[in-house]
Amino acid sequence: QVQLVESGGGLVQPGGSLRLSCAASGFTSLYYVIGWFRQAPGKEREGVSCISSSGGTYYADSVKGRFTISRDNAKNTVYLQMNSLKPEDTAVYYCASGPSFGLAENRYNYWGQGAQVTVSS
């Protein structure tokens, strides 16, 4: 059974950092694209970043230079390091897996349950 589980969310002050983890089970995430998405209250879900099986990365303009995506294939886990967090980064963050690179949601087959990130003083 394919499963993606996010962890590492929480409350952080503006300018702070958090690292989200996406642990995959039931398949080898090495062979798939893993993407991070987020949904803020009252807004549509948007793509944040993705990483290919070969380690290629892509970032939305809103997080470029502040967020870093990486993968540990031995642990079947993908990370999203979030620095210089802003209140507008507040959202539920989801990881997802799919066969092709990019941030279009229809490229992804499996989704995690989400992790809340709140940036507030």
Side-chain angles (χ1 to χ4, degrees):
Q1 180 181 355
V2 173
Q3 194 171 19
L4 297 168
V5 179
E6 302 95 338
S7 61
L11 173 64
V12 63
Q13 292 186 341
S17 298
L18 280 176
R19 188 178 77 160
L20 299 179
S21 300
C22 174
S25 61
F27 73 108
T28 302
S29 64
L30 165 66
Y31 300 112
Y32 294 88
V33 175
I34 301 294
W36 284 98
F37 296 79
R38 67 185 182 185
Q39 187 166 23
K43 294 187 177 181
E44 293 189 355
R45 190 160 56 188
E46 63 175 355
V48 174
S49 181
C50 59
I51 186 165
S52 72
S53 58
S54 59
T57 59
Y58 179 82
Y59 298 93
D61 287 342
S62 58
V63 305
K64 201 171 294 182
R66 300 188 297 122
F67 290 11
T68 303
I69 192 170
S70 62
R71 65 194 309 159
D72 184 334
N73 293 328
K75 294 183 178 180
N76 222 18
T77 299
V78 171
Y79 304 98
L80 185 68
Q81 178 67 44
M82 305 184 293
N83 298 330
S84 303
L85 282 162
K86 306 174 182 180
E88 51 263 43
D89 294 318
T90 295
V92 177
Y93 284 71
Y94 300 89
C95 66
S97 68
S100 56
F101 193 69
L103 289 180
E105 289 191 29
N106 60 10
R107 295 173 183 259
Y108 294 85
N109 308 116
Y110 298 99
W111 293 78
Q113 82 289 349
Q116 177 70 47
V117 171
T118 302
V119 185
S120 175
S121 55

